[in-house]
Amino acid sequence: MRALTWHGEKDVRVSEVPRPEIVEPTDAIVEITATAICGSDLHLYNDRMPGMREGDVLGHEPMGEVIEVGDEVESLEVGDRVVVPFTISCGSCWFCEEDLYSLCDNSNPNAEMARKMMGQSPAGLFGYSHLLGGYAGGQAEYLRVPYADVGPIKIESDVSDEEVLFLSDVFPTGYMAAENADIEPEDTVAVWGCGPVGQFAIQSAQMMGANQVIAIDRVPERLEMAGEHGDAETINYEHADVYDRLMSMTGGRGPDRCIDAVGTEAHGTGLDGVSDRVKEGAKLQDDRPYVLREAIKCCRKGGTLSVPGVYLGRANVPFGPLMNKALTVKTGQTHMQRYLDPLLGKIEEDEIDPSFIISHQVGLEDGPEMYQTFNDKEDDCIKVVMTP
Amino acid sequence: MSEHSFESAAEAVSNSMYPGASAGAEPNRSRWKRVGTVALGGALVAFGLRRRSLGGTVIALVGGALSYRTLSDYLTDAGEMEPVERSITIDKPADELSDLARDPESLERIVGHFADVSAVGDDRYRWSAGGPLARELSWEMESTADESGERLRWETVDDDSMGALFDAWSLSFDSAPGDRGTKVTLEVRFDPPGGTAGSAAVERLDVVPESLVGTALDRFKSLAETGTVPTTEHRPSARGRGDLL
């Protein structure tokens, strides 16, 4: 089958790879009908994530049709239309039972390595390094889905692929980010990063009754989208000082809730930005935590910092202000299965149509070029959907 | 453990152990690869740590806390070695876990990352290391303690003509705090052939005892809680089918 494979920094190729097969009786094989490139795929594209190997199949935002099921799969049948969430969860361990699906104890065969690095291993993920399981990803014609009774969500209405595809990652991720922010009525919510996760965090914050949502980015079309679809006020950080603007918009209090939907590859400005790049180059830190620092500075005392943005290792974060201002931090990979049913409900009831973020629809063979376009934020690229 | 020592250890390990897997690796190499996995504590070898940038990232990530001590690092010149012990919490009753640990087919799956096991009689098992080491490392173990739900212990039979990787394999079961199932502790007393620090046989083994034990517990837990063991075999990639990791 054809698949997008990783070969090093800024080197994604269309390769012919073996078709996946059922390995365990709880597996299913899905023929992919739509698959997206995620902002977190760019961390792999820029070779910032440890544990990638040449030839790894990328992708963790797929959907398609079930074409084969293992003997023990009960909830899926051949012919079912499914969206596959990016986290791989066994459904049986303590964490899955507590609805903490992205912390599954059993799905990472390389848990030992992750444990060495983090203390304990989180769940395995599709197409996201051997550190997180080495699972082949979904930017391919076919995908093996382990624990098939636990992950995929069946789509039984006639909504389009484009409307439900983002249940695989970015919609639930933005939603959990807003949920993690503990939004109360009258709150002002500031969202750094207006990529897909930021856009869904903005809309979710509105759904949760935020009084005011402020979107921060430097890409004009993304800010425009946040205003148009998310009813957010906007700050372009290349044209204004974010702290000053936020203080002025909140009467000096600072936003009650801050969401970092950027993560490790933030583009800082001024001295801080330069310093982050120097430290990173010298291997003194693994992440560029520019947004984290700014959010900690801006957040109102006693407020909440929600971090859906992916970080990889050590980041130089001002813990003093965080402690003295009594901030709450909530983060984590998305506990996908917790959100699939309710969010599918919102889509089917026309509360939201997630397809608004799609900027490019192409075939799999255009994948390598689209990685570059998306990475360079060219051509107004916000979200790429591929049809194998 | 300083970052520098980790870096050099990781590089040494990857340089010495990287089997140079390439696209189209034939299936029967997977056994050998599994030994490589053990050798690297389940991960490093196939990361292509030879790429310095990645090595740097890994090392930076680990923040100096990561150390892979291979077998030879544990041994003294006199060949003495402390048992390696790790624990895990499994959400199943201790009796059920004891049955799993005794059942040859289940045991085979639990230790499948580094060995093959078969029953050869009452309470006796033949173990052999996977891959090319299988011809050198094959040994019999017999039950020396069997208190179901509390403690199980096997020891290597003395008159075994071939090399044994360890001479004792014991499991103990305790109630996990907070009603979360059973705390399972696996203790393995490694006793490799030619077992002194610096001996050629031990150097060639290049096993990481803690990782071998840790991964065995992971697999035990997954088998008990889900009925399956997550595997990296059979995976499609541009390298072919199957995986070093």
Side-chain angles (χ1 to χ4, degrees):
Chain A
M1 65 167 183
R2 286 170 308 125
L4 293 189
T5 55
W6 182 95
H7 295 269
E9 188 173 355
K10 295 190 168 57
D11 186 356
V12 170
R13 302 175 197 170
V14 183
S15 303
E16 194 60 39
V17 308
R19 262 176 70 161
E21 49 197 29
I22 299 273
V23 178
E24 296 283 354
T26 45
D27 291 351
I29 304 292
V30 173
E31 182 172 9
I32 303 301
T33 56
T35 184
I37 303 177
C38 178
S40 64
D41 285 330
L42 298 178
H43 305 320
L44 310 180
Y45 184 69
N46 291 312
D47 196 15
R48 300 174 55 87
M49 178 77 194
M52 292 298 292
R53 292 190 61 207
E54 265 192 66
D56 285 346
V57 179
L58 293 162
H60 57 263
E61 298 188 353
M63 68 177 293
E65 186 183 314
V66 175
I67 57 161
E68 199 182 345
V69 290
D71 294 344
E72 290 174 25
V73 175
E74 289 169 3
S75 63
L76 295 180
E77 290 174 356
V78 170
D80 282 346
R81 186 175 171 222
V82 292
V83 178
V84 182
F86 76 98
T87 49
I88 301 171
S89 309
C90 77
S92 312
C93 68
W94 184 87
F95 292 93
C96 287
E97 283 177 0
E98 293 284 314
D99 277 356
L100 299 166
Y101 294 96
S102 74
L103 303 174
C104 174
D105 249 342
N106 288 315
S107 61
N108 183 0
N110 300 326
E112 178 69 16
M113 179 67 185
R115 203 160 32 225
K116 290 265 186 218
M117 292 193 172
M118 305 186 210
Q120 292 88 28
S121 172
L125 309 179
F126 286 107
Y128 215 77
S129 91
H130 293 264
L131 182 67
L132 297 173
Y135 288 94
Q139 287 164 7
E141 291 183 89
Y142 301 92
L143 176 70
R144 170 189 162 230
V145 180
Y147 314 108
D149 279 331
V150 184
I153 181 170
K154 250 192 288 196
I155 309 298
E156 290 171 295
S157 62
D158 57 1
V159 287
S160 66
D161 277 11
E162 291 77 11
E163 284 173 274
V164 291
L165 176 61
F166 304 122
L167 286 172
S168 59
D169 178 356
V170 286
F171 182 18
T173 297
Y175 193 87
M176 183 168 115
E179 207 175 56
N180 273 346
D182 297 327
I183 296 163
E184 293 173 10
E186 304 310 309
D187 277 353
T188 294
V189 181
V191 179
W192 276 257
C194 297
V197 170
Q199 301 288 347
F200 287 117
I202 290 163
Q203 296 208 21
S204 303
Q206 299 287 23
M207 288 178 202
M208 291 169 199
N211 182 47
Q212 167 179 241
V213 180
I214 302 166
I216 302 154
D217 204 301
R218 63 172 178 163
V219 182
E221 63 270 17
R222 295 184 175 200
L223 289 166
E224 218 168 283
M225 185 182 272
E228 198 177 317
H229 289 273
D231 203 17
E233 297 181 46
T234 59
I235 300 174
N236 184 323
Y237 68 80
E238 284 196 333
H239 304 153
D241 181 274
V242 173
Y243 173 79
D244 288 349
R245 287 284 297 128
L246 284 173
M247 290 310 113
S248 119
M249 292 162 98
T250 59
R253 282 164 53 91
D256 303 274
R257 317 291 168 195
C258 294
I259 298 177
D260 169 5
V262 177
T264 180
E265 293 190 73
H267 297 273
T269 53
L271 270 181
D272 253 5
V274 173
S275 147
D276 274 344
R277 282 166 197 279
V278 169
K279 284 186 188 136
E280 187 191 16
K283 299 290 178 215
L284 293 171
Q285 68 178 1
D286 315 298
D287 300 288
R288 299 199 295 262
Y290 188 82
V291 170
L292 273 183
R293 282 203 294 271
E294 196 164 72
I296 289 168
K297 181 179 174 185
C298 294
C299 194
R300 84 145 155 84
K301 293 177 287 182
T304 309
L305 174 57
S306 163
V307 187
V310 171
Y311 285 87
L312 303 169
R314 293 172 308 169
N316 185 348
V317 174
F319 217 87
L322 183 83
M323 181 270 162
N324 285 288
K325 288 169 64 179
L327 304 186
T328 298
V329 181
K330 288 193 177 179
T331 184
Q333 296 281 8
T334 311
H335 304 302
M336 294 294 294
Q337 288 83 344
R338 200 197 282 178
Y339 300 99
L340 294 174
D341 283 330
L343 296 188
L344 175 61
K346 286 185 191 291
I347 295 167
E348 288 178 335
E349 285 153 29
D350 288 332
E351 266 183 74
I352 184 170
D353 174 2
S355 65
F356 75 92
I357 60 169
I358 299 173
S359 59
H360 292 69
Q361 282 188 282
V362 297
L364 203 60
E365 58 281 1
D366 296 320
E369 188 193 340
M370 290 320 303
Y371 262 88
Q372 189 184 337
T373 304
F374 184 36
N375 185 63
D376 298 344
K377 316 270 190 298
E378 287 172 352
D379 197 26
D380 292 356
C381 184
I382 293 181
K383 193 67 179 177
V384 179
V385 174
M386 296 175 290
T387 312
Chain B
M1 197 62 165
S2 76
E3 290 178 44
H4 289 297
S5 59
F6 167 72
E7 180 160 18
S8 53
E11 295 240 341
V13 161
S14 62
N15 292 339
S16 65
M17 288 299 301
Y18 191 77
S22 56
E26 59 276 21
N28 65 3
R29 289 190 55 183
S30 71
R31 310 308 308 271
W32 151 232
K33 290 172 182 176
R34 288 195 316 203
V35 176
T37 303
V38 176
L40 282 160
L44 282 175
V45 75
F47 281 18
L49 269 186
R50 297 170 302 172
R51 297 191 308 136
R52 286 192 168 274
S53 65
L54 179 56
T57 314
V58 171
I59 288 142
L61 260 179
V62 173
L66 175 54
S67 66
Y68 278 104
R69 295 204 293 156
T70 56
L71 203 50
S72 55
D73 297 328
Y74 278 87
L75 290 163
T76 62
D77 291 340
E80 287 166 16
M81 185 171 166
E82 287 295 301
V84 174
E85 182 193 284
R86 293 272 287 261
S87 298
I88 201 165
T89 303
I90 305 181
D91 193 10
K92 291 287 174 187
D95 279 336
E96 194 178 317
L97 296 175
S98 300
D99 291 344
L100 263 187
R102 276 191 291 246
D103 170 52
E105 279 181 26
S106 302
L107 183 58
E108 166 98 2
R109 296 185 74 183
I110 291 166
V111 302
H113 55 301
F114 74 94
D116 297 316
V117 181
S118 53
V120 290
D122 280 352
D123 301 331
R124 275 176 86 137
Y125 303 96
R126 171 152 292 279
W127 292 64
S128 51
L133 292 171
R135 267 183 269 156
E136 300 172 52
L137 286 176
S138 173
W139 66 101
E140 259 181 47
M141 303 195 83
E142 63 179 353
S143 170
T144 55
D146 191 332
E147 299 156 46
S148 191
E150 290 186 20
R151 199 167 72 95
L152 304 174
R153 183 177 177 87
W154 290 268
E155 292 185 23
T156 298
V157 178
D158 274 347
D159 60 2
D160 211 314
S161 56
M162 298 176 75
L165 185 55
F166 36 80
D167 65 3
W169 173 273
S170 51
L171 285 157
S172 52
F173 305 93
D174 300 285
S175 216
D179 196 27
R180 289 183 187 168
T182 306
K183 180 179 110 172
V184 179
T185 302
L186 172 60
E187 184 190 90
V188 179
R189 200 168 66 206
F190 285 83
D191 181 27
T196 55
S199 78
V202 168
E203 292 290 334
R204 202 172 56 244
L205 284 176
D206 223 354
V207 167
V208 180
E210 280 180 340
S211 297
L212 185 148
V213 171
T215 299
L217 284 173
D218 285 336
R219 295 169 69 103
F220 191 5
K221 177 183 169 81
S222 293
L223 186 65
E225 291 186 351
T226 72
T228 64
V229 174
T231 172
T232 52
E233 292 178 26
H234 314 288
R235 300 240 176 111
S237 75
R239 300 181 298 278
R241 189 186 296 287
D243 211 311
L244 250 175
L245 281 178

